[in-house]
Amino acid sequence: MSSEDVGRAGRMLLHACCGPCSLEPTRIFADEGIDFAIHYANSNIFPPEEYERRLATLIEHVSEPRGIELVEGDYDPEAWEREVAVHGTDREARCRACYRLRFEETARVAEERGFDTISSTLSISPYQFTDVICEELEAAAERHGLKADARDFRDRYQEATRVSREKGMYRQNYCGCRFSIAEAEEQRRAAKARRAERKRLRTVARLRLAAEGAEVPGWTR
C-alpha cells in the first residue's frame, strides 16, 4: 500500500515493540503526513520490569516529544505462554505465533477505536522474520476489515541505531521473550568466540612472519 493510499484510508494504529525501533517508522509516517497513533502491545516481553522499562523509553523518546497518542495494550504473559511458548525453541514458528498474537490485538483495538489501517515497527530489525511479519500483519488486518501498511524498514536500522545511541536511549540486548534471552546470550558467546579465534589466527600469522624475518606491520624489533 502506498502512503497516498494510507492517507486516504484514515488513521493508522502503529504497533510498536520499543523506543529505538520506533524512531524511524514514526519519523517516516509523520513526514508522509499520515495520521497515526502508537499501540504498545507486547505480552511477549519478560520479565515485567523489562516491559515497563521499554514502555517508559517509548513514551519518553517517541510519543511525548512528538505529541503522538500512545495506546497501551493488555500485558498478558499467560496468553503468550498458551499461544506462543508451546513452540519452544522452534524460533520461526514461535516468532510467527508471537507476531500473530500481538497483531491480532492491534487489529482488534484498531477496529474498536475507528482506525482504518495497522502497521508495525518490528520490520526495522534485521534479526526478525520480515516476510512473516508482513504476512501476519496483512492477515490480522484482513480478519478485522482493515488495511495493512506492511513495510520493510530494515534499510533504516543503522540510522535508528545511531539516533538511539545519540539520544542515550535504553537499548535492550534481546528481542523480548524468555527464550530470546538465552538465544541472544548464545549469539553473543558465539560472536565472542569468533573474534577470539580471528585474533588468535592473526597473532599466529604475525609470529610466523616474524620468525621468517619478514616485516610485520605494527611490530618493532
Side-chain angles (χ1 to χ4, degrees), residues 2-221:
S2 70
S3 59
E4 183 179 351
D5 289 337
V6 174
R8 285 198 298 263
R11 298 194 74 207
M12 172 193 293
L13 190 59
L14 173 64
H15 169 268
C17 55
C18 64
C21 288
S22 302
L23 289 171
E24 281 296 282
T26 56
R27 180 193 62 77
I28 289 168
F29 288 138
D31 287 349
E32 292 177 357
I34 295 174
D35 183 11
F36 69 95
I38 293 172
H39 189 221
Y40 185 71
N42 300 294
S43 293
N44 60 308
I45 298 177
F46 176 86
E49 295 78 12
E50 178 72 14
Y51 171 91
E52 294 294 341
R53 189 173 186 183
R54 296 189 193 192
L55 174 58
T57 301
L58 179 65
I59 292 171
E60 179 182 0
H61 292 280
V62 180
S63 60
E64 287 189 350
R66 297 183 180 180
I68 303 171
E69 178 188 0
L70 187 146
V71 180
E72 183 181 359
D74 296 327
Y75 182 53
D76 190 354
E78 292 183 0
W80 188 89
E81 290 290 334
R82 288 194 308 272
E83 299 184 35
V84 181
V86 292
H87 296 285
T89 57
D90 183 344
R91 182 168 176 262
E92 184 168 352
R94 189 182 74 235
C95 288
R96 179 182 286 278
C98 188
Y99 303 149
R100 183 180 301 131
L101 176 70
R102 291 186 281 170
F103 294 162
E104 175 64 25
E105 182 181 353
T106 294
R108 176 181 56 77
V109 171
E111 183 181 18
E112 290 173 354
R113 296 188 176 219
F115 289 87
D116 303 274
T117 305
I118 59 172
S119 187
S120 177
T121 65
L122 282 171
S123 63
I124 198 170
S125 172
Y127 305 106
Q128 300 285 347
F129 297 101
T130 308
D131 291 344
V132 178
I133 289 169
C134 293
E135 289 172 9
E136 292 298 332
L137 189 71
E138 290 170 352
E142 184 176 358
R143 285 193 295 270
H144 291 267
L146 304 168
K147 294 183 172 62
D149 190 336
R151 301 195 197 187
D152 182 349
F153 289 113
R154 282 177 295 180
D155 63 340
R156 306 307 303 163
Y157 179 74
Q158 293 301 325
E159 178 64 9
T161 299
R162 182 192 69 79
V163 173
S164 63
R165 285 176 174 162
E166 187 178 89
K167 289 177 174 288
M169 296 175 70
Y170 167 61
R171 292 179 51 80
Q172 60 274 6
N173 61 4
Y174 66 101
C175 179
C177 77
R178 58 184 177 85
F179 291 99
S180 68
I181 296 174
E183 290 167 350
E185 181 57 34
E186 177 56 34
Q187 290 169 358
R188 286 191 289 272
R189 282 197 296 267
K192 183 178 180 180
R194 288 193 296 270
R195 290 194 298 271
E197 178 63 10
R198 288 196 296 268
K199 183 178 180 180
R200 185 190 70 81
L201 291 174
R202 286 196 300 269
T203 300
V204 169
R206 288 179 175 181
L207 289 171
R208 184 179 296 116
L209 288 172
E212 295 170 354
E215 190 68 29
V216 181
W219 282 27
T220 57
R221 296 179 185 277

